[in-house]
Amino acid sequence: MEKTGTKLGTAAIAALAILESLYWKGFSCELTMLAAGVDSLSNKDGSFHTFFFPPECDNENWNFYSGEALLFWPSMMTQGEFAPLMARCTAAFLHYPARHRLSRYPAFVPWHTQACVSLFAQTAWREPAEFALEMCDWLLPMQQMGWLTGGFAGAFLRTFTPGIRSSPCGIHGVYLEELTDALTLVRKLGDTARTIAYSQAINRGLCSLRQL
């Protein structure tokens, strides 16, 4: 039987979709409830529960559901009536780097990078920006290179590396979204080497998408 439930990531993305709409004020009631739902799953140590229900699924998919929630929170800072407390954002952004470093997984990188870049843009807090660059630098060698990879050239896979789980091909686009945000960041920081590296990776990734 297919596993179903109500998830942190789903609530965060739904809320973010409303927030980014030109007509979000018409959905302020729904946004308030979704924001409250995301907030209710956050813990004092900065971690998130990942499922509203069923409880036995809690902590599944923490790698990317937490990133989706953290991408939503800085966006909420532009809307005072719904904004989370900065202390809660800080606790969450301090919690997940340590957890990721203990067990790195490529699918963690896209949402958390976008969240870190967004928080830096809102607050100028340097630590999330530095972690975003750390994640992107770690991810870049996973991009498939050269003619030997065939149709996978430019895709982000790490199939044969011991200790690193492979990412599903279906999230290739979100890697490019992440690198685009990171490219914007390094241009602002005046980091020429990373600007070149990230630009090249994006171009290779777009070539891969065109070949699909």
Side-chain angles (χ1 to χ4, degrees):
M1 180 180 295
E2 183 180 357
K3 186 182 294 184
T4 60
T6 304
K7 310 166 187 177
L8 169 68
T10 303
I13 292 299
L16 190 61
I18 292 174
L19 194 61
E20 293 187 349
S21 169
L22 294 175
Y23 309 104
W24 72 268
K25 290 185 178 180
F27 298 92
S28 60
C29 180
E30 290 83 355
L31 180 59
T32 300
M33 290 189 290
L34 287 166
V38 171
D39 187 72
S40 74
L41 293 181
S42 67
N43 299 309
K44 290 183 178 180
D45 67 354
S47 65
F48 286 96
H49 296 288
T50 56
F51 276 74
F52 293 95
F53 63 85
E56 61 268 21
C57 292
D58 190 29
N59 204 42
E60 289 186 9
N61 300 329
W62 71 266
N63 280 288
F64 39 95
Y65 287 175
S66 59
E68 290 165 350
L70 288 177
L71 178 58
F72 169 59
W73 268 6
S75 299
M76 288 287 282
M77 290 180 178
T78 63
Q79 306 297 334
E81 58 186 307
F82 304 121
L85 295 175
M86 184 60 194
R88 303 193 73 172
C89 287
T90 301
F93 277 93
L94 291 175
H95 174 85
Y96 281 100
R99 189 169 180 180
H100 173 62
R101 290 170 184 137
L102 289 173
S103 180
R104 294 183 186 269
Y105 180 41
F108 175 94
V109 175
W111 294 108
H112 280 269
T113 295
Q114 293 180 77
C116 286
V117 172
S118 179
L119 184 64
F120 176 73
Q122 296 291 339
T123 66
W125 180 25
R126 186 68 181 233
E127 191 166 344
E130 292 174 351
F131 182 53
L133 301 183
E134 175 191 327
M135 288 187 286
C136 290
D137 291 348
W138 177 77
L139 180 72
L140 284 188
M142 300 183 191
Q143 190 173 37
Q144 304 301 287
M145 305 285 286
W147 64 271
L148 288 175
T149 58
F152 290 108
F156 291 90
L157 303 169
R158 192 72 177 254
T159 308
F160 303 112
T161 302
I164 301 293
R165 290 177 290 164
S166 300
S167 292
C169 296
I171 63 172
H172 179 71
V174 78
Y175 287 127
L176 295 179
E177 290 181 355
E178 159 227 333
L179 284 170
T180 300
D181 280 3
L183 178 60
T184 301
L185 172 63
V186 294
R187 283 174 172 167
K188 289 180 179 178
L189 297 177
D191 190 329
T192 303
R194 284 191 172 102
T195 296
I196 294 171
Y198 295 176
S199 296
Q200 291 175 340
I202 291 168
N203 288 334
R204 286 192 292 263
L206 292 173
C207 286
S208 176
L209 287 181
R210 287 195 292 268
Q211 293 179 71
L212 290 178

